Amino acid sequence: MNICIYGAASSTIDDIYMIEAEKLGATLASRGHSLIFGGGNEGSMGAVARGFSRCGGDITGIAPRFFDKPGVLYDKCTQFIYPEDMRERKSLLESMSQATVVTPGGIGTYEEFMEIFTLKSLGRIDRPIVLYNINGYYDPMVKLLMHTVDNNFMSRDKMNLFMVTADADTAIEYIENYNTEQLREY
């Protein structure tokens, strides 16, 4: 299965995020999955790619040419696609994958998660989505989403559209055993 991984491109994050992201990549590759990702060499994004590489996994990087500078992009990708812009990048990340895992990241990662979550909540896509909650990183986001539910800006059932876990095996089991539901029209 092609799995899209979103995550940080920052080289200044704590090592725990790097270690766990690399383990996730290695575990996914060892189970025969392929990586579709934003192509970054640093942060949790690069760590996942290194885990895939270590275990011989197929890796597709997707990034606009303006990122193609020394040390920015992961140079061990099986293939690299250069879209025109960030919007096309996100479209390709979505269309080329069947599942999404969101590792810790910054505002770009938040935006990517919110878009894929919104698309699923509107019934436009149906795929497993995992918030990979290393070191409790996404606890505040889950709290914010529950605040949204508690104030009736979102129905409680929307919280069932993604899984939150800090365990790679639990995330992978969820993805591999995901039951596709009928897309709903709203």
Side-chain angles (χ1 to χ4, degrees), residues 50-65:
R50 285 189 295 282
F52 263 87
S53 288
R54 187 165 35 92
C55 292
D58 187 58
I59 303 170
T60 300
I62 303 172
R65 284 251 179 234

Side-chain angles (χ1 to χ4, degrees), residues 4-160:
C4 176
I5 306 278
Y6 296 134
S10 171
S11 61
T12 61
I13 61 176
D14 192 280
D15 285 346
I16 187 67
Y17 300 109
M18 308 292 272
I19 291 165
E20 293 302 317
E22 189 167 333
K23 282 184 198 174
L24 174 68
T27 304
L28 285 165
S30 69
R31 290 176 75 152
H33 298 291
S34 297
L35 172 63
I36 308 292
F37 82 124
N41 188 48
E42 299 294 332
S44 55
M45 199 185 328
V48 168
R50 285 189 295 282
F52 263 87
S53 288
R54 187 165 35 92
C55 292
D58 187 58
I59 303 170
T60 300
I62 303 172
R65 284 251 179 234
F66 66 81
F67 281 126
D68 194 8
K69 296 178 174 122
V72 173
L73 298 178
Y74 189 67
D75 63 0
K76 293 181 177 72
C77 292
T78 311
Q79 72 169 330
F80 216 101
I81 299 169
Y82 296 98
E84 289 297 313
D85 56 33
M86 296 296 278
R87 287 185 176 149
E88 185 182 356
R89 176 194 203 191
K90 282 193 312 178
S91 180
L92 288 167
L93 289 166
E94 177 197 329
S95 68
M96 294 179 67
S97 61
Q98 293 83 42
T100 301
V101 178
V102 184
T103 66
I107 60 172
T109 305
Y110 299 162
E111 190 268 339
E112 290 163 334
F113 166 67
M114 288 300 182
E115 181 169 332
I116 206 86
F117 176 41
T118 300
L119 289 171
K120 187 170 181 180
S121 74
L122 294 173
R124 307 319 308 160
I125 61 168
D126 188 24
R127 65 172 53 218
I129 301 170
V130 176
L131 272 180
Y132 195 50
N133 197 23
I134 300 167
N135 203 31
Y137 183 80
Y138 282 116
D139 290 350
M141 182 176 289
V142 172
K143 186 176 179 179
L144 173 63
L145 291 171
M146 284 307 302
H147 175 74
T148 306
V149 168
D150 292 344
N151 284 278
N152 298 312
F153 286 95
M154 181 174 77
S155 62
R156 187 167 301 280
D157 64 320
K158 300 296 186 215
M159 295 298 289
N160 296 322

